[in-house]
Amino acid sequence: MNLPPFHIVVPARYASQRFPQKMLADLAGKPVVQWVYELALKAGAESVTIATDHESIFAAAKAFGADAVMTRDDHENGTERLAEVAMLKGWSGDEIVVNVQGDEPLLPIALIQDAVRALAEDDESEMATVACPIHRSEDIFNPSVVKVVCDAKGRALYFSRATMPWDRDGFAQEPKIISDDYPALRHVGLYVYRVSLLDRYAHMPMSPLEKWEKLEQLRFLHQGIKVQVAVTQELPPHGVDTPEDLQALTQKLSSQ
């Protein structure tokens, strides 16, 4: 299937607990958010918009030629910021919009395109995300690694920090045996939405599942919304969460 029309929004929040002002941090001569914007431009989207809540990011985005919009500063997450951008832009309900995090300067373009195709090819799903195989057995038991299991149509059944599914026989042994056909995938935090879903998101209450797992995507599953999962074979490069991440990426980019 050819790539359908879609928009990209890059939420760029100024505050960050682990790394304040990271969007404007210098990465090999450019702000982190500029790397992400220039990457997004190559994905084939109809438009790429930086959505921020701070004048300094807005000014920086305008300085390097980006389309930027100021959004409210009371959004709880990037999805709410996307919903405001979709409203401001006047996008129709059937249009597709991708949330590309502003701190992922090395996100593979193919990942964005595969997720867009996955949603476009599934008329019943209202959003899509990405997952990859779990290559290390320790990740299966690591609560920081979010797992997803899918149905026969590739849609998410559940996301969890817990080990799922539980292999009753294999995990009863020590050391635990990991079957080659273990069905859980590692969730990758890239989301693609139909605008009509974003319109409804603000009115969806937090689900009990989301409250306990601290996983926003469970709000959608709790409401019966179908989530298509695009599968990639490798985990994408790590983003910029800490100053140490920034230093590592700077060294990587400088050596290329």
Side-chain angles (χ1 to χ4, degrees):
M1 178 182 180
N2 292 329
L3 202 62
F6 66 99
H7 304 280
I8 292 176
V9 175
V10 181
R13 199 166 62 93
Y14 187 78
S16 173
Q17 290 183 339
R18 285 189 289 178
F19 191 179
Q21 306 176 36
K22 66 180 177 180
M23 296 295 175
L24 297 179
D26 181 83
L27 175 59
K30 294 186 288 191
V32 170
V33 70
Q34 183 175 351
W35 282 93
V36 178
Y37 177 76
E38 292 174 355
L39 174 152
L41 287 176
K42 300 173 184 177
E46 300 283 295
S47 68
V48 179
T49 305
I50 294 176
T52 186
D53 60 356
H54 201 278
E55 288 287 353
S56 60
I57 295 178
F58 181 84
K62 288 295 186 182
F64 60 74
D67 175 23
V69 297
M70 284 291 296
T71 58
R72 302 197 316 269
D73 62 3
D74 60 347
H75 291 308
E76 293 186 3
N77 52 55
T79 308
E80 291 184 2
R81 206 173 301 282
L82 256 69
E84 183 181 357
V85 173
M87 180 191 69
L88 292 172
K89 293 287 188 178
W91 294 332
S92 63
D94 60 348
E95 291 189 82
I96 293 174
V97 57
V98 183
N99 180 348
V100 173
Q101 297 295 330
D103 57 3
E104 297 188 8
L106 298 182
L107 184 71
I109 294 171
L111 216 64
I112 299 172
Q113 297 172 335
D114 289 347
V116 169
R117 288 192 186 95
L119 180 57
E121 291 173 355
D122 185 353
D123 293 335
E124 295 182 31
S125 290
E126 295 184 81
M127 62 181 289
T129 190
V130 178
C132 68
I134 299 177
H135 297 293
R136 303 189 309 170
S137 59
E138 57 264 35
D139 288 342
I140 293 173
F141 305 97
N142 183 351
S144 296
V145 175
V146 177
K147 276 71 68 174
V148 58
V149 290
C150 302
D151 66 13
K153 294 183 178 180
R155 297 172 186 152
L157 286 169
Y158 192 64
F159 298 87
S160 184
R161 298 183 184 279
T163 303
M164 65 161 200
W166 187 263
D167 183 350
R168 186 194 63 176
D169 298 330
F171 294 169
Q173 304 181 48
E174 288 296 343
K176 294 178 174 61
I177 297 175
I178 310 300
S179 173
D180 290 338
D181 59 352
Y182 187 73
L185 298 167
R186 178 174 183 152
H187 182 229
V188 178
L190 175 73
Y191 294 102
V192 181
Y193 305 92
R194 298 191 193 278
V195 170
S196 57
L197 176 59
L198 291 174
D199 292 340
R200 306 198 315 271
Y201 177 79
H203 306 290
M204 292 180 190
M206 177 182 289
S207 77
L209 303 173
E210 177 187 3
K211 173 186 174 182
W212 291 107
E213 294 262 20
K214 298 297 188 288
L215 296 175
E216 177 192 344
Q217 60 269 36
L218 291 175
R219 186 179 308 190
F220 298 104
L221 292 186
H222 187 73
Q223 296 293 329
I225 291 161
K226 294 180 174 64
V227 181
Q228 182 60 239
V229 179
V231 179
T232 183
Q233 291 307 305
E234 296 294 335
L235 188 68
H238 192 62
V240 180
D241 291 331
T242 65
E244 291 75 21
D245 293 336
L246 181 70
Q247 184 178 5
L249 279 176
T250 299
Q251 293 175 348
K252 181 175 182 178
L253 290 170
S254 299
S255 64
Q256 291 180 352

